[in-house]
Amino acid sequence: MNFNNKRFYYPIILGDNITLYGPEHHHLANVSRCKLEEKVTVFNGDAYDYTYEIVAIQRDETKLKFISKIKNTKNPTVNLTVFLGLIKLDNLALVVEKLTEIGVTKLVPFVCGNSNIGAKTIRVEKLTSISAQSCKQCGRSIPIQIENTLSFQNMISVIRGIDMVYYADLTETANRITRTGKLGTQRPKEIAIIIGPEGGFTKDETIAIKNNSTPITLGARTLRSETAAIVGATLVLNLFGEI
C-alpha cells in the first residue's frame, strides 16, 4: 500500500480530477504545507485510497490530478458495533475519535432510564466528520458508521440479530472476555459490545441485557462510560485479532 501521511477527506466519488475547498484546502496548503507536483492521498469513505498530484494551489482552493487508486489495508477486518448509553457530546466526540483509531466499525447511541442527555443533542453528521478526521491520522479510509439514537427496547431488538454480543458488567462475578457465545468458538460475522451510561442501567434493563448478551468484566476499577467504551472495544478487537 502506498501509504501517505498527508491524507485528505473528500466525501464524493473519486477517480477524476478534483478541487479541494474549505477545511481540506486549508489543511493541505497551510497546515501540511504541500507543494506543487507533490503526491497526496485522498479518501472518500470507501475501501480505497486515491493518489493525486497537486497541480495548483490557489488562495481558496487546491486542484488535484488523479493518478491511481489502491485497496486500503488499514480498514477493520472485524465487524464490531459499540452500543453506548448516551453521554455528553464532548465525551462522545472523544469516543468516536478513539474508536475510529482502534478499528470499530459502527457506533450506536441509545437512551435508557438513567441517561442524562437527550437524543436531540446528538449530531450524526458532526460525529461522522470527527471520525473522518481521525481516519487521516490512523490510516483507515472508512469512517465509523454513526447510527441515530435508539430507544432501549429498540437496542435490545437489534442485538438479538447479532452473532456475538458482550455486555460490560460492573459486578464482581462478570467473566473475562472469551469467544464463547451463540456460535461457540468460531469467528462471528458480527460482534457487539454494550456500554451503559454514567448512571448505569436500571434493574429491569440489566435483566433484559443479560438475557441477550454475555456479561464480561473490564477490570476491578469503575470506568467512566467513554473509557469503558474504548477499553471494552479494545478487548474485543484484540480477542478477534484486530489489535
Side-chain angles (χ1 to χ4, degrees):
M1 176 179 175
N2 182 21
F3 180 71
N4 190 319
N5 285 327
K6 295 182 178 180
R7 297 170 57 80
F8 304 93
Y9 182 54
Y10 189 84
I12 300 176
I13 295 175
L14 297 175
D16 296 319
N17 298 345
I18 61 174
T19 302
L20 298 183
Y21 301 97
E24 294 303 299
H25 160 70
H26 172 74
H27 185 198
L28 182 147
N30 303 317
V31 178
S32 297
R33 298 187 180 278
C34 295
K35 305 298 181 183
L36 288 177
E37 299 183 354
E38 184 174 350
K39 291 181 175 60
V40 298
T41 300
V42 181
F43 64 98
N44 70 344
D46 66 12
Y48 294 89
D49 279 344
Y50 297 77
T51 299
Y52 283 82
E53 180 182 329
I54 301 172
V55 295
I57 302 177
Q58 301 172 358
R59 179 177 178 180
D60 298 319
E61 65 183 33
T62 298
K63 295 185 179 297
L64 302 176
K65 181 176 72 175
F66 175 72
I67 303 297
S68 62
K69 75 174 185 178
I70 190 170
K71 190 84 170 180
N72 183 291
T73 61
K74 307 290 184 178
N75 288 317
T77 59
V78 174
N79 188 6
L80 174 62
T81 298
V82 175
F83 290 87
L84 178 62
L86 281 176
I87 56 177
K88 293 179 180 179
L89 185 58
D90 288 347
N91 296 338
L92 188 56
L94 173 66
V95 169
V96 169
E97 178 183 295
K98 299 309 175 186
L99 294 187
T100 301
E101 292 178 22
I102 64 176
V104 170
T105 304
K106 185 188 299 185
L107 176 66
V108 183
F110 65 92
V111 180
C112 50
N114 291 328
S115 297
N116 56 9
I117 183 171
K120 293 181 179 180
T121 62
I122 301 303
R123 296 170 56 190
V124 172
E125 290 184 1
K126 175 65 175 177
L127 294 175
T128 301
S129 176
I130 290 171
S131 181
Q133 295 303 309
S134 187
C135 286
K136 292 182 183 181
Q137 188 277 326
C138 70
R140 64 188 280 185
S141 66
I142 304 175
I144 287 182
Q145 181 179 341
I146 310 292
E147 296 288 335
N148 290 319
T149 303
L150 298 180
S151 68
F152 180 84
Q153 289 303 324
N154 284 342
M155 184 272 291
I156 292 295
S157 296
V158 170
I159 67 171
R160 286 172 179 158
I162 297 176
D163 296 329
M164 181 82 72
V165 182
Y166 297 101
Y167 155 55
D169 193 348
L170 295 177
T171 67
E172 295 181 1
T173 58
N175 305 313
R176 292 190 178 275
I177 187 169
T178 67
R179 290 195 181 199
T180 58
K182 296 179 185 178
L183 303 179
T185 58
Q186 73 183 79
R187 185 184 177 113
K189 292 182 178 179
E190 189 174 1
I191 312 164
I193 184 168
I194 304 169
I195 308 293
E198 293 294 342
F201 292 110
T202 66
K203 182 178 179 180
D204 288 344
E205 289 170 346
T206 300
I207 293 172
I209 290 173
K210 288 187 175 181
N211 285 340
N212 292 279
S213 65
T214 300
I216 60 168
T217 179
L218 302 184
R221 290 160 294 280
T222 301
L223 306 179
R224 293 176 64 92
S225 291
E226 58 269 26
T227 308
I230 297 166
V231 171
T234 300
L235 289 174
V236 175
L237 291 171
N238 179 67
L239 181 68
F240 288 93
E242 185 69 29
I243 293 178

